[in-house]
Amino acid sequence: MTKQASSGPRPLLKNRLPELEAITEALCDPASFESVVHHSLHDAPMPSLKDLEELMSRLKAAIFPGFYGTSRVRFDSMRYHMAANLDSIYRLLAEQIRRGGCFTCAEYAMDCVLCGEASDELAMKFMQTIPRIRELLSSDVRAAFEGDPAAKTPGETIFCYPSITALTHQRIAHELYMLDVPLIPRIMTEMAHSATGIDIHPGASIGGEFFIDHGTGVVIGETCVIGKGCRIYQGVTLGALSFPKEADGTLVKGIPRHPILEDHVTVYAGATVLGRVTIGEGSTIGGNTWITRDVPPKSRLVQQQYAQNGNG
């Protein structure tokens, strides 16, 4: 028996209206929405994820010419295209900073005019950091290529490696974080987190020549300090051991609570380093270890290894 074709949308059943009315009433109860509703003091639009995605795409094109945006770079016209792209980046960023400031609106500026001026100034201060961001990312690309025998060219690491994607977002977001730009840095790093599985807070301070091999499941906390030439593997956590609280029970914000990795430290897969501990220069932390104390320089910490002989 074949079903008769529908002649149009199914009419709303009247006997369901009271139930829908009850749900509407529950969702519009202030006691229900007060903790999740966004109050805009100036009716200002929230930051735009679409515009921030375009901003990141344009920044990648400026930092890695030829890999993003236009696929071909002509050196005789590079200055023209770079200038046009930077102008667009500046305008997009200034607007998103303004929106982020209006979203938080906590002592960001006294009124909307000053908010716009402050956003323009912060955007220009960020623009001046782009050459340094490129320098750091170039060192990360070099570390990925030299540190991974599977990499055939440096360009492969730019195009394919989640490590470079995550670090590109984080290094851009970190400069905005250091300028006290609200909200936008966190959105930028969460974009990369969603795409790569690598979670790096924009507040983390990361030296050059940093390589995350594989990367899935890596967590790097807000107050981490990572020196030059460090390498970590998948599943590594550089996190906080505890969270101090105020007398009223609220968490104390902004205190150093994550690890310090000095230069040329290697942390292998699945290792967990917690608290404001220092891993000394040139140390190696083996896989699946748990570290909550300082580690002297040149140390090698590994779990006891069991080798199965030929007899089983």
Side-chain angles (χ1 to χ4, degrees), residues 144-194:
F145 173 63
E146 294 176 354
D148 185 1
K152 301 301 187 290
T153 65
E156 180 182 348
T157 70
I158 296 172
F159 233 10
C160 304
Y161 280 36
S163 170
I164 301 303
T165 297
L167 285 171
T168 299
H169 281 248
Q170 197 277 340
R171 292 201 185 280
I172 290 168
H174 180 70
E175 296 297 338
L176 293 168
Y177 177 92
M178 296 302 292
L179 291 170
D180 291 324
V181 170
L183 191 62
I184 304 304
R186 193 60 186 267
I187 295 175
M188 288 178 168
T189 53
E190 288 304 321
M191 287 177 177
H193 182 196
S194 298

Side-chain angles (χ1 to χ4, degrees), residues 54-300:
E54 180 184 348
L55 175 64
M56 288 304 306
S57 178
R58 287 183 174 277
L59 280 164
K60 290 175 182 178
I63 294 168
F64 300 115
F67 286 94
Y68 298 95
T70 178
S71 60
R72 184 179 179 186
V73 176
R74 294 180 59 91
F75 293 103
D76 57 347
S77 60
M78 176 182 282
R79 178 177 290 273
Y80 168 80
H81 290 292
M82 183 67 74
N85 189 29
L86 290 176
D87 180 70
S88 296
I89 289 169
Y90 170 70
R91 294 173 184 274
L92 279 167
L93 180 59
E95 173 62 14
Q96 294 308 306
I97 291 175
R98 185 186 70 81
R99 292 187 180 201
C102 290
F103 180 86
T104 54
C105 211
E107 300 179 359
Y108 182 67
M110 296 302 294
D111 58 44
C112 291
V113 174
L114 290 178
C115 184
E117 293 175 356
S119 300
D120 292 347
E121 182 67 22
L122 288 172
M124 184 51 66
K125 287 182 178 179
F126 168 80
M127 299 298 289
Q128 294 167 346
T129 70
I130 295 177
R132 181 168 73 249
I133 293 172
R134 178 193 275 179
E135 182 179 358
L136 284 168
L137 286 169
S138 295
S139 75
D140 299 332
V141 168
R142 184 170 63 252
F145 173 63
E146 294 176 354
D148 185 1
K152 301 301 187 290
T153 65
E156 180 182 348
T157 70
I158 296 172
F159 233 10
C160 304
Y161 280 36
S163 170
I164 301 303
T165 297
L167 285 171
T168 299
H169 281 248
Q170 197 277 340
R171 292 201 185 280
I172 290 168
H174 180 70
E175 296 297 338
L176 293 168
Y177 177 92
M178 296 302 292
L179 291 170
D180 291 324
V181 170
L183 191 62
I184 304 304
R186 193 60 186 267
I187 295 175
M188 288 178 168
T189 53
E190 288 304 321
M191 287 177 177
H193 182 196
S194 298
T196 67
I198 299 172
D199 182 2
I200 314 177
H201 194 282
S205 178
I206 302 174
E209 301 175 27
F210 184 50
F211 179 38
I212 306 173
D213 204 352
H214 304 294
T216 305
V218 163
V219 176
I220 300 176
E222 178 185 20
T223 63
C224 277
V225 179
I226 299 175
K228 180 180 179 181
C230 292
R231 178 190 294 189
I232 64 177
Y233 287 75
Q234 69 273 15
V236 166
T237 296
L238 305 178
L241 181 61
S242 61
F243 301 96
K245 295 182 178 180
E246 303 282 5
D248 62 0
T250 59
L251 293 177
V252 179
K253 304 285 186 176
I255 62 172
R257 59 196 183 277
H258 298 100
I260 299 171
L261 272 57
E262 295 184 342
D263 294 349
H264 305 293
V265 168
T266 299
V267 185
Y268 281 99
T272 299
V273 186
L274 299 180
R276 194 59 166 184
V277 299
T278 298
I279 309 299
E281 180 178 358
S283 292
T284 298
I285 306 301
N288 297 313
T289 52
W290 185 278
I291 308 295
T292 58
R293 296 186 297 178
D294 290 346
V295 175
K298 310 295 183 183
S299 298
R300 185 172 181 269

